[in-house]
Amino acid sequence: MKEQKRLLVNLIATAIAFAVQFGVNFILTPYIVNSLGSEAYSYVPIATNFVGYANIVSVAVYSMTSRFVSVEYNKGRPDRAEVFFNSALVSNLVVSLALLIPSILVTLNIKHIINVPDNLLPDVQLTFGFAFANMLLTLATSAFGSVYYVTNRLDINARRNIEGNVLRAVVLIALFSLLPAKIYFLNATVLLVGVYLVSANFYYTHKLLPDIHPDLCKSTWNAIKEMLSSGIWNSFNQASNIMLTTLDLFLANLFAGSVATGQYSVSKTVPNFILSVITMLVGVFVPQLTIYYAKQQKEKLANALSYSIRSMGFLCSFPIGFLLVFGKDFFHLWVPSQDADMLHWLSVLTLIPLAISCCTEVVYNIFTVTNKLRTPAVVLFILGIVNTVAAITLMKTTSMGIWAVPVVALVISIIRNLVFTPVYASRCLHMPVSLVYAPIVRGMVCTVAMTLVCLCYRTIVHGTGTWFTFLAAAVICSCIAGVANIMVIFNKDERRRFFSMIASKLRL
């Protein structure tokens, strides 16, 4: 029960953190788009994506820090965990220094890399400069961020994220209220929050991991090499994910123009929010899976994996199913100056893959837990190349334009998430593939159920022209679909434990 209670605490805290983050972006994005225009706004996610390109090099070490430190620490070997911690710290410091000069060069020469109107060039350069500064700071200190994963205290991590988002919202509102609107305000406040979060990581590493101390002299080449031998495949994964998910805005800017890119970036705003919550929720489940693997508790690992997949499908079905039906209403209310119909259908093509990946992202993390990353990395890299080549070819040789990007991504996502990932994960865990597919299917059924409930509601109640009627539709549809889905997703014992834990938390 202690493990289930910790999972629930982590889950609730993470959900609240996401709600705060979503609220900040939900309120501010329409104002920013109206103040700056969708064309100017598109450079913010493009800058974020460039940071992702730079992270291809650095992810090889820092992505595996939490895994190696957690395994050693939970095996009762804090000295060995400390070696991995300091080895990662040294590696990340070196990589961040190596990336400093390229970051400066890209920022100063951004006009020669992407299409930037002359009137926006100084603001775009500052936007990229702040984005790279935050990346370098976070990278150099990322070893300290592993404390929450190692100790399975993601509730603390969620709390600091809430505090950071509130801080960012306050500063952003002040900047946009007192000064002329600038796009670089967005990334400047991200850097401010980054400084706050790094400070919090230092404090909690000292508090929660008293056996681990920063000491560069305790780093070893063997530990770095061991992390690199596994993490290098995460670099391939990072490159592949860029080609599959974030290169789209860069390609759109080059082949469809900055105006179309602005529309596409707005249409991806909500799907990207959902992708963020998927990433955060997956992070809630993975630490416990790693602990079970470290302790060789195979049956508990299998049960926890199944429960995690089904829970992800259940939780993500609400926003995905609702927006598949009511997306046009949402964009009409949220950004009334934009083409709501076009934004809706562009977002639909992005939401459908999320309905699948929300169930399989936990499965994909099994490759990290079991330290079997090479084959998934190679497969994902090949799919990324196919995705990029196909999208460029269709944009250059057909009249599809911007629509080619999400259509190709949809097909590739189905191949990755429904064909490769479940099969190879079952092989890594030495379990029948049916035991992986079964919870995935049940998780996807939740989105189907939510979508059908929303379609029925829309048929009966025609108008959602105000925020009140829109939110009322969301609540009613979620309640109806939630009751049905919780009966499908969880067995009797899981439902009893789930409701008893919720009740205990409410009493607190």
Side-chain angles (χ1 to χ4, degrees):
M1 182 61 73
K2 182 179 179 181
E3 293 169 351
Q4 292 290 334
K5 190 172 183 178
R6 171 57 57 199
L7 177 62
L8 180 65
V9 171
N10 290 343
L11 188 60
I12 292 174
T14 302
I16 293 173
F18 172 77
V20 173
Q21 180 185 3
F22 180 84
V24 170
N25 287 283
F26 179 80
I27 294 170
L28 291 179
T29 298
Y31 173 75
I32 294 167
V33 171
N34 290 333
S35 300
L36 304 173
S38 61
E39 179 182 11
Y41 177 74
S42 70
Y43 291 104
V44 176
I46 289 177
T48 302
N49 292 347
F50 266 74
V51 168
Y53 308 155
N55 272 335
I56 292 176
V57 178
S58 57
V59 76
V61 174
Y62 82 73
S63 64
M64 296 303 292
T65 303
S66 296
R67 189 266 177 194
F68 277 95
V69 175
S70 179
V71 168
E72 297 299 332
Y73 194 81
N74 286 290
K75 282 183 175 180
R77 299 193 295 229
D79 292 342
R80 183 66 176 157
E82 189 175 38
V83 170
F84 278 110
F85 175 87
N86 284 290
S87 299
L89 183 59
V90 169
S91 301
N92 292 331
L93 285 171
V94 171
V95 174
S96 61
L97 289 174
L99 290 174
L100 177 61
I101 299 302
S103 298
I104 294 173
L105 292 176
V106 169
T107 300
L108 295 177
N109 296 280
I110 194 62
K111 184 176 176 58
H112 303 293
I113 301 173
I114 61 175
N115 295 317
V116 182
D118 291 336
N119 64 307
L120 290 177
L121 181 58
D123 289 358
V124 171
Q125 287 177 321
L126 284 171
T127 299
F128 274 77
F130 284 123
F132 280 123
N134 182 62
M135 176 204 71
L136 294 173
L137 172 66
T138 304
L139 170 60
T141 60
S142 62
F144 294 91
S146 65
V147 56
Y148 313 107
Y149 184 103
V150 175
T151 58
N152 198 18
R153 290 304 307 271
L154 300 181
D155 55 313
I156 297 178
N157 187 42
R159 189 171 69 229
R160 74 186 183 104
N161 283 330
I162 292 172
E163 296 163 352
N165 278 303
V166 171
L167 172 64
R168 185 184 181 218
V170 171
V171 175
L172 271 178
I173 291 171
L175 289 173
F176 277 104
S177 299
L178 302 174
L179 301 173
K182 300 292 183 180
I183 56 174
Y184 60 78
F185 289 170
L186 299 172
N187 283 347
T189 53
V190 169
L191 176 59
L192 174 64
V193 173
V195 173
Y196 169 75
L197 296 182
V198 167
S199 301
N201 292 345
F202 288 158
Y203 170 76
Y204 282 112
T205 297
H206 175 72
K207 182 178 180 180
L208 299 178
L209 293 175
D211 297 329
I212 293 181
H213 307 281
D215 185 350
L216 302 186
C217 295
K218 291 186 178 181
S219 63
T220 67
W221 171 244
N222 286 336
I224 295 174
K225 187 166 62 174
E226 189 172 353
M227 286 187 287
L228 277 174
S229 65
S230 299
I232 190 66
W233 301 112
N234 279 332
S235 290
F236 272 91
N237 284 335
Q238 178 77 356
S240 306
N241 281 320
I242 284 171
M243 290 187 284
L244 289 169
T245 60
T246 64
L247 195 62
D248 50 3
L249 288 177
F250 179 62
L251 295 177
N253 179 274
L254 293 179
F255 296 101
S258 58
V259 175
T261 304
Q263 293 174 322
Y264 184 50
S265 66
V266 173
S267 75
K268 287 193 66 178
T269 303
V270 174
N272 281 343
F273 288 160
I274 298 174
L275 182 60
S276 297
V277 77
I278 290 173
T279 302
M280 285 193 292
L281 290 174
V282 167
V284 171
F285 296 108
V286 174
Q288 190 60 58
L289 297 177
T290 306
I291 292 171
Y292 285 146
Y293 180 79
K295 295 181 178 179
Q296 297 185 338
Q297 297 173 328
K298 294 183 179 179
E299 184 176 352
K300 286 186 175 182
L301 174 60
N303 291 336
L305 177 62
S306 174
Y307 181 79
S308 302
I309 295 169
R310 289 179 282 127
S311 297
M312 288 294 299
F314 174 75
L315 294 170
C316 295
S317 67
F318 299 111
I320 295 174
F322 184 74
L323 289 172
L324 284 173
V325 178
F326 290 97
K328 182 178 178 180
D329 306 70
F330 171 77
F331 285 112
H332 177 73
L333 291 168
W334 191 47
V335 280
S337 61
Q338 304 295 312
D339 185 347
D341 191 56
M342 178 181 181
L343 294 178
H344 169 53
W345 287 110
L346 281 172
S347 69
V348 164
L349 292 173
T350 309
L351 287 168
I352 293 175
L354 289 181
I356 303 171
S357 64
C358 70
C359 299
T360 58
E361 279 303 307
V362 177
V363 182
Y364 203 83
N365 277 270
I366 289 298
F367 307 141
T368 299
V369 171
T370 59
N371 197 21
K372 295 182 179 179
L373 298 165
R374 182 173 60 182
T375 299
V378 171
V379 171
L380 196 63
F381 189 73
I382 293 172
L383 291 176
I385 293 175
V386 172
N387 179 82
T388 302
V389 172
I392 293 174
T393 302
L394 289 175
M395 281 193 289
K396 292 182 68 174
T397 61
T398 71
S399 59
M400 291 181 67
I402 194 67
W403 296 92
V405 177
V407 168
V408 173
L410 171 61
V411 175
I412 297 297
S413 177
I414 292 173
I415 295 172
R416 172 197 171 187
N417 291 305
L418 291 183
V419 178
F420 170 74
T421 299
V423 174
Y424 192 71
S426 65
R427 180 178 176 183
C428 292
L429 294 174
H430 305 289
M431 66 168 56
V433 70
S434 59
L435 294 181
V436 180
Y437 269 114
I440 291 175
V441 172
R442 290 168 68 184
M444 291 170 58
V445 166
C446 287
T447 299
V448 175
M450 180 64 181
T451 304
L452 292 175
V453 169
C454 292
L455 288 171
C456 292
Y457 183 91
R458 193 178 186 91
T459 302
I460 299 170
V461 182
H462 297 287
T464 56
T466 65
W467 280 116
F468 177 78
T469 55
F470 180 82
L471 294 175
V475 171
I476 294 170
C477 292
S478 296
C479 289
I480 296 172
V483 171
N485 284 337
I486 204 167
M487 301 301 293
V488 173
I489 282 296
F490 303 115
N491 60 40
K492 183 178 179 180
D493 184 56
E494 289 169 339
R495 289 195 297 270
R496 180 186 58 78
R497 294 203 312 267
F498 180 81
F499 287 124
S500 66
M501 286 186 293
I502 291 291
S504 67
K505 285 298 163 185
L506 291 177
R507 285 194 295 270
L508 292 176

